[in-house]
Amino acid sequence: MADSSNARARWELENNIPSAGEDVDALYRHDHAEQQVIQQQRPWSKDPHFFKHVRMSALALLKIAMHARSGGNLEIMGMLQGKVLHDTFVVMDSFALPVEGTETRVNAQAEAYEYMVDFADTNKAVHRLENVVGWYHSHPGYGCWLSGIDCSTQMLNQQYQEPFLAIVVDPVRTMASGKVEIGAFRTYPEGYRPPDEGPSEYQTIPLSKIEDFGVHAKQYYPLDVNFFKSSTDSHVLDLLWNKYWVNTLSASPLISNQDFAAGQISDIAEKLEQAETQLAHGARVGARYGASSDKKKDDGVLTKICRDTSKMASEQIKGLSSQVIKDLLFNRLGSSLRPRAEIGMPTVQVVEVAEVVEVATTSTEGAPMET
């Protein structure tokens, strides 16, 4: 139980989930009149960039992460419950939808919509007054962003169900990095041209998805996501965490993500071949017409490939470190402690292993490979 508590505390630390406080508990008080005023004023209709933040409960985050992980390489889908406060979505809970998913798409049929309505009505009957404020789905292995279909779905939701939020989570990269890979988005109205905001935060996109990512990148914008935990969440989190922690402990990211790692290597090789072709073509054109090639652009392409490679190497180092630590704890520690316990000698190996865990964790988190 102590190991489970430590693992959960570490998970909360890695995902920046602060301890509960009185101000956090106040988020769970539903003010129907306040929500009605917000619906009447509809400030988001005047400013397409009105919503800027998302506050998500640790309970909703863990439920989404577990649901996404249960789908494996298939996409999953669910709904978000909560409310809006000023320019912030407050996500308090989530629930899964019975949908058909593939590796690149999730299809919600009539049964899913009926389930969603019944679930919301049942919540109201037991005085859970939070509204459905958005949806979430997974992108297994290819990052958190909105595809063309996602943009169309979100635009439709924002047209008829405002205020509405889209959450994307990547369970494969979550397993590889140990931190929940999550993004929150809202689309712009049709025909709206956003101002040039400069380059966004870089993320690794597979070569097969780059075109879809680039075409629709200006149709939506990301929201800042942070997490909170109330004093009443602890018991529910304990029940969920016991299952989540055991599954995480018994799984090896090197084995469960071996297809993902192989795909990353193949993708990086394709990007290198493409970059080499572009560089050779640019050099030939420059030599023929006396024009200088765009060195800054070429360097940018190679820099992105280097970042992808460094990120993949860092994830592999973390996976190897976790396996070494498990081997020390469960294989070598037990056999080395038994003779000492029988003869009454102090079990100093516990301290030694704890130091190994701390050193391995610190060196992995601060590895210069992760840029």
Side-chain angles (χ1 to χ4, degrees), residues 54 56 64 80 135-137 165-169 182-185 225:
V54 176
M56 179 180 290
I64 292 173
L80 309 170
W135 66 299
Y136 71 88
H137 70 290
L165 173 72
I167 292 283
V168 182
V169 63
I182 192 170
F185 310 96
V225 183

Side-chain angles (χ1 to χ4, degrees), residues 128-154:
R128 287 284 305 274
L129 303 178
E130 298 85 9
N131 297 313
V132 172
V133 294
W135 66 299
Y136 71 88
H137 70 290
S138 63
H139 280 181
Y142 54 97
C144 299
W145 47 280
L146 296 185
S147 66
I149 296 176
D150 298 339
C151 286
S152 300
T153 302
Q154 180 62 17

Side-chain angles (χ1 to χ4, degrees), residues 142-143 173 202-206 264 267 271 307-308 311:
Y142 54 97
R173 294 187 179 181
Y202 178 75
Q203 59 174 318
T204 302
I205 307 294
Q264 280 185 307
D267 185 66
K271 288 179 179 178
R307 295 180 71 173
D308 293 347
K311 187 173 185 296

